[in-house]
Amino acid sequence: MEAKKLVILGSVNADHILNVAHFPLPGETISGNQFQMVFGGKGANQAVAAGRCGANISFLACLGNDDIGKKAKTQLMTDNIDTNSIELIDDVATGVALIFVNQQGENVIGIHAGANGRLDTSYVQRYGNIIKEADALLMQLESPLDSVLKAAEIAKQENVQVILNPAPAQALPDELLSLVDIITPNETETEYLTGIKVIDDESAQLAADVLHHKGIKTVLITLGSRGVWVSEKNNKGCIVPAFKVKAVDTIAAGDTFNGALITALLEGQSMMPAIKFAHAAAAIAVTRAGAQPSVPWRHEVDAFLASSL
């Protein structure tokens, strides 16, 4: 039997990563100790995580028709991703992310959307049949918001499960939130969406209840090294602890979690085992540098889980 179909709609960036002792202050110039350019973007990172974990996945995205865009598309093809719907745009550059990583593995990021901004509603409509034929649609917020809404509307009409990773943080209309089945915000994004600062289990549940009231069945608030607060509508939530590892950097950790989580759910795993699988994938990712280079393959995740029993 063919594996259930996942569609990811989202961004692709060329990540320029500089490792520094500390983040620069305004007006300060600092020297980095390592630089690399690798492919990233939240959509692409999540697609790579799903592809490497074994998902049957198509990726909806726009790249510049430039050397970087062509190389990025070729790279995605090697990660078990159907790239037929990725468009190369002539008059715009591939998206760029400028990233500082400090000695604690924390990062700050600035993004230029570039070709990601061309993923407009007309693009979504052109590839609407891919969404309609899927079992699940995973999206983030580095694409135009009206396109995210249009894709969610198409999915909902066909009873396709909609998963939203609401990052980068921003306020969202209830019109969109009402179409979401699973949402995966971090603490900052949760506060943007609910007005509630997540500082403990009680505040996490209060925030989850606000999102449930907006129509979302399943809320997963990612809490970094603490783990994930998971709440199903009409049930009391709980925390699922993360695995303890020494982080090199946290770039793409959340994206890896999301891609791995949806892959496990589409394979028929229930929520708790799926979260543990996603935790394992993210734990491996933070022990490696960069975005997509840090994303593990399925056999690595399975081995990590087996060693953790």
Side-chain angles (χ1 to χ4, degrees):
M1 185 175 70
E2 186 179 23
K4 289 185 176 180
K5 184 69 177 180
L6 171 63
V7 171
I8 293 181
L9 180 149
S11 57
V12 186
N13 290 325
D15 288 352
H16 297 259
I17 305 169
L18 183 65
N19 290 81
V20 294
H22 64 272
F23 298 135
L25 298 172
E28 181 184 15
T29 299
I30 59 175
S31 296
N33 51 52
Q34 182 180 348
F35 171 80
Q36 59 178 326
M37 196 287 283
V38 297
F39 295 121
K42 295 193 70 62
N45 295 343
Q46 292 178 13
V48 168
R52 292 183 185 177
C53 284
N56 177 16
I57 174 180
S58 292
F59 186 30
L60 305 184
C62 292
L63 289 159
N65 191 15
D66 49 30
D67 286 344
I68 291 176
K70 291 171 184 176
K71 289 177 181 177
K73 186 173 181 178
T74 299
Q75 177 61 48
L76 290 166
M77 291 171 64
T78 68
D79 290 314
N80 300 329
I81 299 166
D82 182 345
T83 62
N84 288 326
S85 51
I86 295 178
E87 292 189 358
L88 299 177
I89 312 298
D90 284 331
D91 59 346
V92 65
T94 298
V96 172
L98 305 178
I99 305 171
F100 286 114
V101 180
N102 68 12
Q103 289 180 325
Q104 288 72 48
E106 300 167 324
N107 61 72
V108 294
I109 305 174
I111 294 173
H112 174 62
N116 295 310
R118 299 298 182 87
L119 203 162
D120 54 20
T121 54
S122 62
Y123 171 93
V124 174
Q125 289 171 326
R126 280 198 297 280
Y127 297 98
N129 283 339
I130 294 177
I131 297 173
K132 292 177 182 179
E133 294 167 0
D135 295 284
L137 169 67
L138 171 60
M139 298 184 289
Q140 327 76 35
L141 300 176
E142 287 181 349
S143 304
L145 190 57
D146 55 353
S147 300
V148 173
L149 176 59
K150 173 59 69 176
E153 289 172 342
I154 292 171
K156 210 64 178 177
Q157 290 167 3
E158 301 296 326
N159 294 316
V160 175
Q161 187 176 45
V162 177
I163 304 96
L164 180 65
N165 174 223
Q170 59 184 279
L172 294 176
D174 288 348
E175 181 184 11
L176 172 58
L177 294 175
S178 68
L179 300 172
V180 173
D181 297 295
I182 302 174
I183 195 165
T184 61
N186 64 19
E187 299 108 314
T188 301
E189 294 146 10
T190 299
E191 187 171 0
Y192 266 85
L193 296 175
T194 68
I196 296 172
K197 187 175 182 64
V198 176
I199 57 175
D200 53 22
D201 292 357
E202 182 180 2
S203 55
Q205 188 58 56
L206 287 172
D209 288 339
V210 171
L211 295 170
H212 290 319
H213 184 71
K214 294 179 183 294
I216 301 171
K217 179 182 176 183
T218 304
V219 177
L220 278 68
I221 301 174
T222 57
L223 304 171
S225 60
R226 284 190 63 210
V228 170
W229 183 265
V230 55
S231 178
E232 301 277 1
K233 192 170 185 177
N234 300 322
N235 291 298
K236 182 174 174 55
C238 65
I239 195 163
V240 182
F243 294 100
K244 302 300 182 185
V245 294
K246 182 174 175 56
V248 171
D249 75 45
T250 57
I251 298 170
D255 296 331
T256 300
F257 177 90
N258 277 272
L261 174 76
I262 306 311
T263 300
L265 291 173
L266 288 176
E267 290 176 351
Q269 294 189 40
S270 59
M271 184 58 72
M272 292 304 178
I275 291 174
K276 290 179 180 178
F277 178 84
H279 273 331
I284 296 170
V286 302
T287 64
R288 302 170 177 174
Q292 290 167 30
S294 73
V295 176
W297 289 85
R298 178 59 176 262
H299 69 274
E300 295 177 297
V301 182
D302 289 340
F304 183 96
L305 284 168
S307 69
S308 301
L309 293 177

